Amino acid sequence: MHALDVAGQYFDAWNRRDPDAIMATFAEGGTYADPAAGTLSGPAIGAYAGSLFTAFPDLHFDLVHVAATDGGRVTAEWLMRGTNTGPFAGAPPTGQTIALPGADFITVDGDKVRSVQGYFDRRTFVEQLGLQAMVMPYKAGPFAFGTATMVKTGKQTKPGAVGVTKITVRSDQEREQIREYSRAIAAEMLEMPGFLGWIGVVIGQEMYTITAWEDTEAPRQLVRGGTHRGAMRHFYEKDFALGGMLSVWSPERIKLDVRCDECGRVFTLRDWDESTRCECGAALNSTQTTW
């Protein structure tokens, strides 16, 4: 069988969205690699394809140019199309439609695929999903960099309690487990009386949260049940992570720094509401105090 025909069977299996058929085109020990998946072999290839079909149920490859060279090698330029209506890499669907250009370099052995090395721009892929793509170092001198997520209710209420947590993990797997728990907990907190806002920060293997509540009793809801209680039981019953800490700051420790839009003055308030005004008479910028 000609190498172009084998490559054609490979892309036909993808366009039928059939993970088993995709795996069947590979020779024993054959490998697949791309910038997102790394290098895969055997059932892992089918599992990866299945995850893409879950995320993009209408996924399809349009072949722009295909050419064969000596030694059973095929070069295929393609455009991957699809709409993200399912979860992908642990994230919820964005509903965005992608048209991602890329190329595969396929090595054919007889009537089977020996290897596929795929290339595409990961930043283009992320941005087409409607997500942020940021480039930053892991470290620069004494500074370390990471990512952050915020959830806020929009309530114009001074926090009566602020909870701070830190967990140090030992592996990427542990970090992803805690991220999954954190997303579920944040969604549950949005339904809890007295919840104001939540910030989650990940810097390397260290993970932090800051949570604002209307009063010191409101955080107790977290230990009465739900995902948070289950997560804590999981952490304590198993050898999980390196350790961490939890503290809740009481009202007398909380202050608000507010800027006046009119005169630019910045000052500290112990109490604030919609009627609070600067000495110049202007209303204060409520966005400075919104959780």
Side-chain angles (χ1 to χ4, degrees), residues 69-280:
T69 61
D70 294 339
R73 296 182 181 274
V74 175
T75 301
E77 182 183 355
W78 45 258
L79 194 66
M80 186 179 85
R81 300 180 183 275
T83 303
N84 181 212
T85 58
F88 180 66
T94 65
Q96 297 294 314
T97 297
I98 65 168
L100 178 70
D104 284 344
F105 295 87
I106 304 171
T107 301
V108 175
D109 184 0
D111 60 353
K112 295 290 184 179
V113 172
R114 172 58 57 189
S115 68
V116 176
Q117 177 63 63
Y119 295 95
F120 58 84
D121 182 29
R122 294 183 67 178
R123 178 167 183 169
T124 299
F125 179 53
V126 169
E127 289 179 341
Q128 286 191 0
L129 285 175
L131 306 174
Q132 298 183 64
M134 298 179 290
V135 178
M136 64 181 72
Y138 288 105
K139 290 184 178 180
F143 297 92
F145 302 89
T147 59
T149 304
M150 175 183 288
V151 176
K152 58 183 181 179
T153 62
K155 295 179 181 177
Q156 306 291 327
T157 305
K158 174 186 172 181
V162 174
V164 180
T165 67
K166 173 189 174 183
I167 297 178
T168 303
V169 299
R170 295 167 299 194
S171 67
D172 292 344
Q173 182 180 8
E174 285 185 347
R175 183 173 60 227
E176 291 309 308
Q177 284 183 276
I178 294 175
R179 271 180 162 162
E180 289 180 12
Y181 275 119
S182 296
R183 283 191 286 263
I185 293 168
E188 289 180 358
M189 287 192 296
L190 280 169
E191 305 299 322
M192 293 181 180
F195 171 71
L196 297 176
W198 175 88
I199 297 173
V201 179
V202 180
I203 303 176
Q205 301 299 84
E206 296 186 348
M207 309 181 74
Y208 304 83
T209 68
I210 304 172
T211 310
W213 303 88
E214 291 182 358
D215 54 61
T216 55
E217 289 298 314
R220 298 180 185 276
Q221 298 172 85
L222 291 174
V223 299
R224 293 173 186 158
T227 302
H228 186 276
R229 185 172 182 178
M232 295 306 296
R233 184 182 300 115
H234 174 77
F235 297 159
Y236 284 120
E237 290 180 356
K238 297 185 177 181
D239 179 23
F240 195 89
L242 289 175
M245 68 91 177
L246 165 66
S247 70
V248 177
W249 293 63
S250 55
E252 62 269 15
R253 295 179 179 270
I254 299 172
K255 64 184 180 69
L256 302 175
D257 288 335
V258 184
R259 179 186 297 276
C260 175
D261 284 340
E262 295 296 326
C263 68
R265 180 187 174 199
V266 177
F267 50 95
T268 297
L269 292 177
R270 289 294 177 183
D271 296 290
W272 178 87
D273 60 37
E274 296 287 352
S275 63
T276 305
R277 292 183 173 273
C278 176
E279 291 181 358
C280 73

Side-chain angles (χ1 to χ4, degrees), residues 16-73:
R16 294 200 307 272
R17 294 180 283 279
D18 187 339
D20 291 335
I22 294 171
M23 287 191 295
T25 65
F26 281 84
E28 184 177 355
T31 61
Y32 171 92
D34 73 26
T39 301
L40 306 175
S41 183
I45 297 174
Y48 175 61
S51 69
L52 286 175
F53 299 146
T54 297
F56 303 91
D58 58 346
L59 185 144
H60 184 87
F61 284 91
D62 292 334
L63 294 179
V64 178
H65 179 75
V66 181
T69 61
D70 294 339
R73 296 182 181 274

